[in-house]
């Protein structure tokens, strides 16, 4: 939801028109569109509902799936339904799948050997710094992260900092550890279960330097202002199906190379940046290349 609204606002600003006119958005419980809207940014769940309501997507000329490498259940289902309706009802419908780190060949085959288009994009250079040695196994993860954040703020005197943590619990513990130790900074949490208004605060103006403690919600779809430093804790929380209970449970795992690269890129959006990784350079070769699709694990 946060990404959909931010993308619509950015496009409307670039187009020079008010949000809700040529470019609008729609999500659960909120919409900003008009009869003049030509580009509508929607969450993947809303797309599925739109197809259920109108299987031919009458009046829609193109469907674009952005950040498809995240492979959420809603994105996979949305693409499957869109390809089905295109084959049965709408041969004229344009379907585009986009991502910065997607393994594109299998998706292109699924889309009847769709052509692959590569855009290099533009980003500033980002220096990567690894730990000289693995952290003490007896040290608490949150304490190690807080120390790395303080070191990064001292070594890089300008710009905001974005730290990646696996979940809300770790974010709150790191925020507590930083309390009173970063007087010139505003510490902002950012995770999925927050109120939407509180999530939006991480994107707004702040006093002093911005320090955002975020889950993977900030990994791809959001561009936070003024971020010059990324501190990557190297962990991600995923839903895994547990056959013994018949339910899904959340597990904490190492990030993959693709996720680490996405996180690193957050530091190069507005200027040259630095990414601190909470693992050694030698450990990087053991990381998996891509995260599993949610439909495979959940």
């Amino acid at each position: 939801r946060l990404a959909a609204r931010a993308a619509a606002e950015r496009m409307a600003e670039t187009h020079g028109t008010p949000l809700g006119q040529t470019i609008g958005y729609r999500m659960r419980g909120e919409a900003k569109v008009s009869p003049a809207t030509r580009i509508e940014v929607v969450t993947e769940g809303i797309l599925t509902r739109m197809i259920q309501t109108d299987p031919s997507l009458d009046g829609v000329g193109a469907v674009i799936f952005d950040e498809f490498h995240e492979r959420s259940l809603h994105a996979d289902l949305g693409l499957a339904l869109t390809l089905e309706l295109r084959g049965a009802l709408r041969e004229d419908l344009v379907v585009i799948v986009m991502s910065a780190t997607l393994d594109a060949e299998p998706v292109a085959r699924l889309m009847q050997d769709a052509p692959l288009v590569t855009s290099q994009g533009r980003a500033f250079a980002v220096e990567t710094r690894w730990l000289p040695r693995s952290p003490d196994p007896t040290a608490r993860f949150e304490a190690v992260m807080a120390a790395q954040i303080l070191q990064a703020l001292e070594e890089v005197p300008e710009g905001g900092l974005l730290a990646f943590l696996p979940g809300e619990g770790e974010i709150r513990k790191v925020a507590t550890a930083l309390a009173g130790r970063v007087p010139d900074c505003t510490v902002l949490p950012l995770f999925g279960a927050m109120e939407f208004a509180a999530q939006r605060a991480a994107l707004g103006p702040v006093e002093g330097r911005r320090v955002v403690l975020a889950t993977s919600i900030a990994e791809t779809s959001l561009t936070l202002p003024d971020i010059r430093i990324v501190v990557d804790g190297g962990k991600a929380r995923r839903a895994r199906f547990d056959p013994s209970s018949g339910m899904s449970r959340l597990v904490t795992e190492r990030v993959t190379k693709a996720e680490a690269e996405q996180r690193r890129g957050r530091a190069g959006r507005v200027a040259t940046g630095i990414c601190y990784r909470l693992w050694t350079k030698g450990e990087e070769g053991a990381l998996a290349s891509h995260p599993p699709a949610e439909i495979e694990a959940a």
Side-chain angles (χ1 to χ4, degrees), residues 276-298:
Y276 294 80
R277 287 178 170 170
L278 218 65
W279 61 90
T280 65
K281 192 171 184 179
E283 293 177 87
E284 197 141 308
L287 298 179
S289 58
H290 288 82
E294 187 179 1
I295 199 169
E296 295 175 340

Side-chain angles (χ1 to χ4, degrees), residues 57-123:
L57 285 184
D58 187 41
V60 176
V63 180
I64 300 175
F65 292 84
D66 196 15
E67 307 291 4
F68 192 73
H69 66 272
E70 294 178 359
R71 293 298 304 277
S72 70
L73 286 171
H74 282 304
D76 279 3
L77 178 59
L79 179 60
L81 293 175
T82 301
L83 295 177
E84 184 179 55
L85 78 86
R86 185 180 186 277
L89 302 169
R90 289 284 310 278
E91 290 187 0
D92 63 313
L93 184 68
V94 175
V95 182
I96 301 172
V97 175
M98 302 199 305
S99 167
T101 59
L102 180 70
D103 183 10
E105 293 285 353
V107 181
R109 287 197 300 270
L110 178 70
M111 298 171 65
Q112 298 178 328
D113 294 320
L116 297 176
V117 180
T118 301
S119 170
Q120 294 300 325
R122 289 180 296 173

